[in-house]
Amino acid sequence: MTDPILLVGMSAREAAAPDRMTAIAATLGAEVAHLQVGDPSLSAALTRLADGGADRVVLLGASLGTLAPANSWLRRVAAHWWRERGAAGAHRPEVAVATTLVRDESDLERGPLDVTRPIHGNEAGLTSEAWEDVPGHRHHVLVCRGPRCSARGGDRLTEALSAHLRREGIGDDTVLVTGTACQFPCNRAPVVTVQPDDVWYGAVQPDDVPELVAEHLLADRPVDRLRLPRVRSSTAAGPSTPAR
């Protein structure tokens, strides 16, 4: 019996490209799972295979963009699942991780599954002193990665924003960028919100990134041409006085 293979999306980019991921997985005879954002999660997929009696599972990471974490994170998360599974006394298959990532379809010709390394359980855990405290960033930029925003280029926008911040030497301690699920004004996709300023932007494109960073994130001047009106709920100011 052939060992089951999981093609694991490493970032939100893969979760936003289900058809492409499914096609790559079909070429490999694999199933799709996700390290973050998408479903099924890697842990859920491993649990299902283990509960089904699999004795060995092979993991291959897929990174179709530029912001995916390193392959070491695939091992780290898989090792966490493996240790927890053992602690629970449940059936625990061998888990082997490919030493390379698939970055596009041409990589399939290079035999990405030719070299794998098994999980040993002594890989780094999921916690670290560096991740204990809420970061002290000035702005938290939330880029919508819901279905409509992703279809209209939310993935490219996220990559452009992160790349521009890196070039400008602006780290997470100043601007923290996070991809989110749907933020709801879908007709204005891609949507970006900046907190704690409570500023919403719509139809933001990669070409808008330099202005957005220079004006709003560094100079605290929101970009009016991209800004969306914020409709306040009638209950936002607190409970109303009952009619007499």
Side-chain angles (χ1 to χ4, degrees), residues 9 30 35 37 43 48 115 128-129 135 139 146 153 182 186-187 190 233 236 241:
L35 196 66
V37 182
S43 294
R48 180 181 59 78
V115 182
S128 165
E129 291 183 4
H139 290 107
C182 181
C186 306
N187 292 344
S233 167
T241 303

Side-chain angles (χ1 to χ4, degrees), residues 3 10 13 37-38 47 53 65 73 84 99 157 212 226 233 240:
D3 296 328
M10 301 291 286
R13 169 64 77 90
V37 182
T47 296
W73 268 103
E84 292 287 302
T99 59
L157 175 61
L212 190 64
L226 298 172
S233 167
S240 60

Side-chain angles (χ1 to χ4, degrees), residues 101-135:
L101 297 175
V102 171
R103 299 192 180 277
D104 58 50
E105 287 77 358
S106 66
D107 286 341
L108 299 178
E109 301 173 3
R110 303 189 181 101
L113 292 171
D114 288 350
V115 182
T116 63
R117 292 172 51 219
I119 292 295
H120 297 295
N122 58 357
E123 289 81 2
L126 298 185
T127 60
S128 165
E129 291 183 4
W131 306 325
E132 184 68 24
D133 299 321
V134 175

Side-chain angles (χ1 to χ4, degrees), residues 142-150 152 180-195 198-204 226-231:
L142 308 177
V143 182
C144 180
R145 295 299 309 274
R148 294 172 184 84
C149 287
S150 292
R152 291 185 173 177
T180 75
C182 181
Q183 296 187 38
F184 284 106
C186 306
N187 292 344
R188 308 301 190 95
V191 173
V192 174
T193 56
V194 179
Q195 302 297 347
D198 195 22
V199 172
W200 294 60
Y201 293 114
V204 185
L226 298 172
R227 192 168 183 175
L228 300 177
R230 177 78 151 86
V231 177

Side-chain angles (χ1 to χ4, degrees), residues 10-237:
M10 301 291 286
S11 71
R13 169 64 77 90
E14 293 75 52
D19 293 343
R20 191 175 173 194
M21 287 288 290
T22 298
I24 294 173
T27 302
L28 297 166
E31 301 176 36
V32 175
H34 295 275
L35 196 66
Q36 54 182 317
V37 182
D39 291 318
S41 68
L42 173 58
S43 294
L46 284 170
T47 296
R48 180 181 59 78
L49 291 172
D51 288 347
D55 291 319
R56 185 174 184 269
V57 180
V58 179
L59 309 182
L60 172 62
S63 172
L64 306 180
T66 61
L67 298 179
N71 202 36
S72 59
W73 268 103
L74 183 54
R75 294 188 60 83
R76 186 188 290 248
V77 174
H80 173 78
W81 176 88
W82 197 79
R83 288 190 293 264
E84 292 287 302
R85 185 84 178 179
H91 168 64
R92 182 173 65 177
E94 176 186 341
V95 178
V97 181
T99 59
T100 187
L101 297 175
V102 171
R103 299 192 180 277
D104 58 50
E105 287 77 358
S106 66
D107 286 341
L108 299 178
E109 301 173 3
R110 303 189 181 101
L113 292 171
D114 288 350
V115 182
T116 63
R117 292 172 51 219
I119 292 295
H120 297 295
N122 58 357
E123 289 81 2
L126 298 185
T127 60
S128 165
E129 291 183 4
W131 306 325
E132 184 68 24
D133 299 321
V134 175
H137 50 273
R138 294 177 62 242
H139 290 107
H140 195 175
V141 180
L142 308 177
V143 182
C144 180
R145 295 299 309 274
R148 294 172 184 84
C149 287
S150 292
R152 291 185 173 177
D155 52 353
R156 297 187 297 275
L157 175 61
T158 304
E159 292 174 0
L161 177 58
S162 297
H164 186 79
L165 291 171
R166 284 197 303 269
R167 286 195 298 270
E168 296 295 315
I170 302 170
D172 290 349
D173 55 341
T174 302
V175 177
L176 180 62
V177 178
T178 302
T180 75
C182 181
Q183 296 187 38
F184 284 106
C186 306
N187 292 344
R188 308 301 190 95
V191 173
V192 174
T193 56
V194 179
Q195 302 297 347
D197 301 352
D198 195 22
V199 172
W200 294 60
Y201 293 114
V204 185
Q205 300 300 313
D207 289 346
D208 297 318
V209 165
E211 181 182 8
L212 190 64
V213 171
E215 290 297 310
H216 189 163
L217 302 182
L218 295 182
D220 293 318
R221 294 188 294 262
V223 180
D224 288 339
R225 68 179 182 83
L226 298 172
R227 192 168 183 175
L228 300 177
R230 177 78 151 86
V231 177
R232 298 288 181 176
S233 167
S234 60
T235 61

